[in-house]
């Protein structure tokens, strides 16, 4: 039987955490499901000052931010709309030995170590659908990567990337409107945290006080019909990236590090894009170790370093994380044009037809066909198989 903790209306209700202190046993565990809660607790401690008092420069704008994330995973407070009703917090042990918690607050933020997995999965599915439909249509698909020199000012750094992404999207929109083409584009901001300090700035020269910084850069997809001059379009995007960064007092390296593109071909290329290059995956983006020369830490690894006291710059990293979340708060991180969205919707129609065809070939009875179609469309297991919402073939179901 699940263990229930029920609300006592005679006592003052607090938004209590699942645990007040870091537990070394969980930290040492290799189970990623457990480590997520450890990282969440640590991140909440770091972001609590923002949730209580914003660091905004204007007094009128000093409003608490990141409140939802700092409450994630805590016991739910009473529902003041429907009286003192409260969800029962219960714990269930699965057959595999894991402990699941139900009835707690969920922030549903993509930045949350716990909720971020689910938030990212929907976006990954949409991107996967669009790319696969493009490959089915014989279109050329390119992964684009734009980088720049780091900045001390977090707001400026992210402004440079967002501005460049808007310029590239406008370039594609103007090209489609003028030439009647259907070029699709998707962009995403990725951030990692520096594994070393900045001693020299590209504008200020040698710094009096070395500073930690973030690697803010852009990944994206450009999907071009085969009858178009794709190399010319990619060249214009590269020039657009460099100019937009320069206008905002930034610096772009004049080689393929500053702007590069890679061709995505088939399922293998798509997997590489989703699992490595876009940082939209469930774990890889947060697991970047910073061991490679010049590379940065993913948020998950950085939180582990802070929690385990393996970095001499603990306080500075915590301040860097707060600055990052403040400058990124409520700012759009991902963007796609209508042509990209239409590709994803066309894949949904293709998938429906494929499932219908599969069911018609597998069953003679109309009732069996309808039942199998409904089960697969709803993502439920059917006959030991499951049809993922971004695939065209059923896969064996594994627990």
């Amino acid at each position: 039987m699940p263990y229930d903790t029920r609300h006592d209306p005679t006592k003052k209700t607090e938004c209590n955490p699942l645990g007040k202190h870091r537990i070394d046993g969980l930290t040492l565990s290799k189970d990623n499901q457990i480590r997520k809660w450890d990282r969440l607790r640590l991140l909440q401690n770091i972001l609590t000052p923002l949730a209580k008092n914003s660091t905004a420069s204007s007094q009128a704008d000093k409003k608490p931010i990141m409140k939802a994330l700092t409450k994630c995973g805590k016991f739910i407070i009473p529902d003041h709309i429907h009286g003192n009703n409260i969800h029962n917090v219960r714990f269930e042990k699965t057959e595999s030995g894991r402990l699941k918690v139900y009835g707690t607050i969920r922030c549903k933020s993509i930045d949350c170590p716990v909720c971020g997995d689910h938030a990212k999965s929907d976006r990954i599915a949409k991107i996967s659908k669009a790319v696969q439909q493009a490959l089915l249509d014989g279109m050329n698909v390119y992964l684009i990567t734009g980088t720049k020199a780091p900045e001390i000012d977090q707001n400026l750094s992210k402004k440079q990337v967002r501005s460049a992404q808007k310029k590239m999207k406008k370039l594609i929109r103007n090209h489609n409107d003028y030439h009647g083409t259907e070029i699709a584009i998707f962009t995403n901001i990725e951030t990692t945290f520096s594994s070393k300090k900045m001693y020299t700035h590209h504008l200020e020269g040698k710094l009096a006080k070395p500073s930690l910084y973030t690697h803010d850069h852009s990944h994206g997809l450009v999907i071009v019909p085969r009858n178009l001059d794709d190399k010319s379009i990619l060249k214009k995007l590269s020039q657009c990236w460099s100019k937009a960064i320069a206008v905002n007092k930034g610096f772009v390296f004049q080689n393929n590090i500053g702007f590069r593109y890679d061709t995505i071909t088939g399922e293998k290329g798509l997997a590489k894009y989703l699992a490595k290059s876009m940082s939209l995956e469930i774990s890889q983006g947060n697991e970047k170790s910073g061991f490679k020369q010049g590379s940065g830490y993913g948020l998950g690894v950085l939180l582990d370093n802070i929690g385990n006291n393996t970095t001499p710059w603990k306080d500075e990293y915590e301040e860097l994380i707060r600055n990052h979340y403040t400058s990124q708060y409520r700012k759009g991180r991902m963007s796609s044009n209508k042509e990209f969205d239409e590709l994803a919707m066309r894949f949904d129609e293709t998938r429906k037809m494929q499932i219908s065809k599969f069911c018609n070939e597998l069953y003679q009875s109309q009732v069996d066909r309808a039942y199998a179609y409904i089960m697969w469309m709803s993502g439920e297991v059917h006959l030991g198989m499951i049809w993922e919402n971004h695939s065209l073939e059923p896969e064996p179901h594994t627990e």
Side-chain angles (χ1 to χ4, degrees), residues 164-186:
Q165 289 179 336
K166 289 180 180 179
K167 294 291 185 182
M168 290 192 295
K169 188 177 178 181
K170 182 178 180 180
L171 174 69
I172 296 299
R173 183 176 68 248
N174 291 340
H175 190 284
N176 287 337
D177 291 344
Y178 187 78
H179 297 283
T181 55
E182 295 182 346
I183 303 171
I185 186 170
F186 173 91

Side-chain angles (χ1 to χ4, degrees), residues 27 39 82 88 91 103 115 150 227 230 234 261 325 331 360:
T27 302
R39 289 173 175 174
H82 302 96
N88 294 330
F91 303 84
C115 302
N227 61 334
D230 46 2
L234 292 167
Y261 60 87
Y325 275 92
K331 300 293 194 308
N360 290 339

Side-chain angles (χ1 to χ4, degrees), residues 72-334:
C72 186
K74 298 180 180 180
F75 296 152
I76 291 181
I77 59 178
D79 185 344
H80 297 293
I81 298 177
H82 302 96
N84 278 332
N85 297 325
I86 183 172
H87 291 285
N88 294 330
V89 178
R90 71 182 192 276
F91 303 84
E92 291 185 1
K93 186 176 181 180
T94 65
E95 293 181 358
S96 61
R98 289 184 177 180
L99 184 67
K100 288 191 174 182
V101 185
Y102 299 91
T104 57
I105 295 175
R106 287 290 181 268
C107 67
K108 300 180 181 180
S109 170
I110 196 172
D111 296 313
C112 177
V114 175
C115 302
D117 292 2
H118 181 73
K120 291 174 184 176
S121 63
D122 292 339
R123 304 186 187 199
I124 292 173
K126 177 182 176 181
I127 296 168
S128 179
K129 291 175 183 178
V131 172
Q132 291 193 65
Q133 185 61 46
L135 295 175
L136 289 173
D137 292 345
M139 304 175 77
N140 294 323
V141 185
Y142 297 95
L143 167 66
I144 59 174
T145 303
T147 62
K148 65 179 188 65
E151 303 289 346
I152 301 174
D153 184 350
Q154 293 294 299
N155 288 317
L156 176 60
S157 181
K158 291 170 177 58
K159 178 183 177 181
Q160 291 169 350
V161 178
R162 283 194 293 267
S163 175
Q165 289 179 336
K166 289 180 180 179
K167 294 291 185 182
M168 290 192 295
K169 188 177 178 181
K170 182 178 180 180
L171 174 69
I172 296 299
R173 183 176 68 248
N174 291 340
H175 190 284
N176 287 337
D177 291 344
Y178 187 78
H179 297 283
T181 55
E182 295 182 346
I183 303 171
I185 186 170
F186 173 91
T187 58
N188 172 57
I189 296 178
E190 179 179 320
T191 298
T192 55
F193 300 85
S194 64
S195 56
K196 58 183 181 179
K197 289 190 174 183
M198 181 195 305
Y199 288 84
T200 304
H201 187 262
H202 63 90
L203 286 181
E204 299 182 18
K206 188 175 181 179
L207 300 177
K209 182 182 178 181
S211 173
L212 294 170
Y213 57 94
T214 58
H215 297 274
D216 296 305
H217 52 285
S218 175
H219 287 300
L221 282 172
V222 177
I223 301 175
V224 186
R226 284 199 171 178
N227 61 334
L228 300 181
D229 184 2
D230 46 2
K231 297 299 186 292
S232 173
I233 294 170
L234 292 167
K235 183 178 179 181
K236 291 179 180 178
L237 287 173
S238 176
Q239 294 171 345
C240 183
W241 170 266
S242 299
K243 290 180 180 178
I245 297 295
V247 166
N248 288 282
K249 301 179 180 180
F251 176 77
V252 175
F253 303 101
Q254 298 302 313
N255 50 35
N256 64 349
I257 297 177
F259 189 93
R260 61 173 293 175
Y261 60 87
D262 301 290
T263 305
I264 294 179
T265 55
E267 185 178 349
K268 185 177 180 181
L270 177 62
K272 175 184 176 183
Y273 161 71
L274 291 175
K276 182 179 179 182
S277 300
M278 285 294 290
S279 187
L280 291 176
E281 73 294 0
I282 299 304
S283 62
Q284 288 293 326
N286 284 333
E287 301 299 332
K288 291 184 178 179
S289 62
F291 295 143
K292 185 178 178 181
Q293 180 66 29
S295 65
Y297 293 119
L299 179 60
V301 173
L302 179 57
L303 290 173
D304 287 347
N305 291 345
I306 294 174
N308 295 327
N309 293 313
T310 56
T311 172
W313 306 320
K314 180 178 178 179
D315 292 340
E316 293 178 69
Y317 269 127
E318 291 186 358
E319 185 63 25
L320 181 65
I321 291 174
R322 283 191 287 269
N323 289 337
H324 163 70
Y325 275 92
T326 301
S327 59
Q328 188 61 55
Y329 184 64
R330 289 190 173 178
K331 300 293 194 308
R333 209 169 311 179
M334 304 177 190

